[in-house]
Amino acid sequence: MSNETSPASCAEAQQETAKQFEASGADMVGQRLDYALTLLLPQMGLRGRKRSIESGQVLVNGRPCKAAQRLRKGDVVSLADAPTADQQTQNAVVAEADTAAYPADTNFEALPRLLERQGEFCFFYKPVGLHTAALTGGNMPSLEGMLPQLLAEQGCTCAEADPQDGADMSAEAVPPQLMQRLDYGTSGIVCAALSPQAAQAFRQAEAAGRCEKRYIALLAGRLEENFTVTFALRTDKRSKSRVLDRDAGCTRWTNFTPLHYFEGDDLPQLALTKDSQFHRVGLTLVGCRIRRGARHQIRAHAAAVGHPLWNDPLYADKDPEAEAQTSHGTFYLHHGGLLLPGANCIMPPPWSFLPKAVGRQVLEWLTSAD
């Protein structure tokens, strides 16, 4: 009898040993499951790893779990040959819970990612349902926490600290710095500076009114003309901004441009067309321009003139009938354009309910020179 091992047997043995790992090191504890899974599926992209988790093929301590789950010390991550019936049932429950907070038209293929790099600025995409910045004392996933991974996936590196700037971390990479925040329920572009000089340039451009941010929003009611809201906002309360009866500086104004009015069957989206507010007043797709921005500026300004974002849980007037018929409390607001001196990024909203002609109109507005 030969003691030689065939190539096929070697491959099977390697595959068997690569079916699980234990979270023990400091670099693994606290890591998201979908990112840590590269140890078992090194050739698979992030989307594929998420699908594997959602299908029940990935287990933590023998049980299915969510892609965003953070690993704890001692957790054993393993690959299952195929999900059992019980696992499939549990996965369906988890998936239903995860998607309940999203608009019915959400594109779950639109994951956070690096859109492009221009000089010392990087532009990232933040989807609905993801925090922009890491929360103090919390372990919820955030775009900020994903920046190193998103940069590494595209082969980007951060700038090195300059000793002349007074930094005491010479020759070490400077972590990317977020220059703006989007609400949890807002999608779109987020800019990060890769050097202290770039961060300072961004702030100076904002203060001088030379930074323009373009948003797309879905507002209640019919808007037929461009208008500008100049009210100042009180933002010291964390939950909700208060509109004040005085003007703010011009860098804190919001300009609204109507792009398309939806009424009747013009918007064949089940979650929208069943809402009584929609049938009563219709909805207008608008472009919003701001320069500097304050917390909830667009949402508060839109509500102040009687056209709140449709289904905004904070600023829209409560309609008991609409609330009873609507399965989610998500508004539609997307940061689709950021224009800086020497750099800019455009990304249309990933909303599948927009007719093609309206989508083209949105892109034209986002890229317009006006």
Side-chain angles (χ1 to χ4, degrees), residues 332-350:
Y332 287 82
L333 181 63
H334 175 82
H335 183 211
L338 179 59
L339 286 67
L340 295 165
N344 66 80
C345 183
I346 302 295
M347 182 190 180

Side-chain angles (χ1 to χ4, degrees), residues 29 67 74 99 107 112 128 157 165 173 184 206 211 229 244 246 250 254 274 277 298 320 327 360:
V29 175
T99 58
N107 178 11
V128 171
T157 57
D165 292 334
Y184 183 79
E206 267 196 326
C211 172
V229 181
L244 303 178
R246 61 178 174 82
C250 61
T254 306
K274 275 193 171 184
Q277 180 187 24
I298 293 174
S327 60
R360 289 192 295 268

Side-chain angles (χ1 to χ4, degrees), residues 265-328:
D265 296 330
D266 192 24
L267 188 58
Q269 181 67 30
L270 182 62
L272 301 183
T273 55
K274 275 193 171 184
D275 180 55
S276 64
Q277 180 187 24
F278 165 73
H279 284 292
R280 188 175 67 254
V281 300
L283 301 172
T284 302
L285 189 73
V286 300
C288 315
R289 281 189 177 95
I290 62 176
R291 297 288 178 177
R292 207 167 183 180
R295 184 189 302 117
H296 299 173
Q297 177 175 318
I298 293 174
R299 298 167 63 186
H301 277 174
V305 294
H307 295 284
L309 270 69
W310 178 84
N311 211 31
D312 190 327
L314 271 181
Y315 296 94
D317 293 333
K318 296 297 183 182
D319 182 338
E321 184 178 358
E323 191 171 349
Q325 293 182 359
T326 305
S327 60
H328 57 78

Side-chain angles (χ1 to χ4, degrees), residues 148-354:
Q149 175 75 20
L150 296 176
L151 286 169
E153 287 177 353
Q154 298 299 322
C156 293
T157 57
C158 301
E160 292 186 349
D162 187 348
Q164 296 181 355
D165 292 334
D168 57 1
M169 47 185 292
S170 178
E172 294 185 6
V174 178
Q177 182 177 353
L178 291 178
M179 302 312 301
Q180 53 185 148
R181 294 189 181 190
L182 301 181
D183 293 337
Y184 183 79
T186 302
S187 63
I189 301 165
V190 176
C191 179
L194 298 182
S195 69
Q197 295 82 3
Q200 183 179 12
F202 186 99
R203 294 191 189 97
Q204 290 175 343
E206 267 196 326
R210 294 184 292 117
C211 172
E212 182 175 314
K213 304 163 187 177
R214 299 182 179 183
Y215 288 74
I216 303 297
L218 194 60
L219 305 189
R222 183 168 197 144
L223 284 72
E224 297 182 343
E225 297 180 338
N226 292 5
F227 65 92
T228 299
V229 181
T230 64
F231 296 131
L233 296 175
R234 180 179 175 181
T235 60
D236 55 341
K237 291 188 176 182
R238 295 188 61 84
S239 60
K240 187 175 181 179
S241 294
R242 177 185 174 189
V243 177
L244 303 178
D245 190 19
R246 61 178 174 82
D247 285 351
C250 61
T251 59
R252 304 287 190 181
W253 295 355
T254 306
N255 174 261
F256 294 91
T257 300
L259 301 175
H260 185 80
Y261 177 64
F262 295 103
E263 60 181 338
D265 296 330
D266 192 24
L267 188 58
Q269 181 67 30
L270 182 62
L272 301 183
T273 55
K274 275 193 171 184
D275 180 55
S276 64
Q277 180 187 24
F278 165 73
H279 284 292
R280 188 175 67 254
V281 300
L283 301 172
T284 302
L285 189 73
V286 300
C288 315
R289 281 189 177 95
I290 62 176
R291 297 288 178 177
R292 207 167 183 180
R295 184 189 302 117
H296 299 173
Q297 177 175 318
I298 293 174
R299 298 167 63 186
H301 277 174
V305 294
H307 295 284
L309 270 69
W310 178 84
N311 211 31
D312 190 327
L314 271 181
Y315 296 94
D317 293 333
K318 296 297 183 182
D319 182 338
E321 184 178 358
E323 191 171 349
Q325 293 182 359
T326 305
S327 60
H328 57 78
T330 304
F331 50 86
Y332 287 82
L333 181 63
H334 175 82
H335 183 211
L338 179 59
L339 286 67
L340 295 165
N344 66 80
C345 183
I346 302 295
M347 182 190 180
W351 299 339
S352 61
F353 64 81
L354 292 180

Side-chain angles (χ1 to χ4, degrees), residues 83-99:
T84 65
D86 288 344
Q87 291 167 0
Q88 291 177 9
T89 300
Q90 291 182 46
N91 291 340
V93 172
V94 170
E96 182 178 355
D98 281 349
T99 58

Side-chain angles (χ1 to χ4, degrees), residues 30-37 50 67-71 141 146:
Q31 181 72 271
R32 280 174 55 112
L33 175 61
D34 48 1
Y35 287 112
L37 198 56
K50 286 180 178 288
Q69 177 170 322
R70 301 278 176 171
L71 296 181
M146 298 177 182

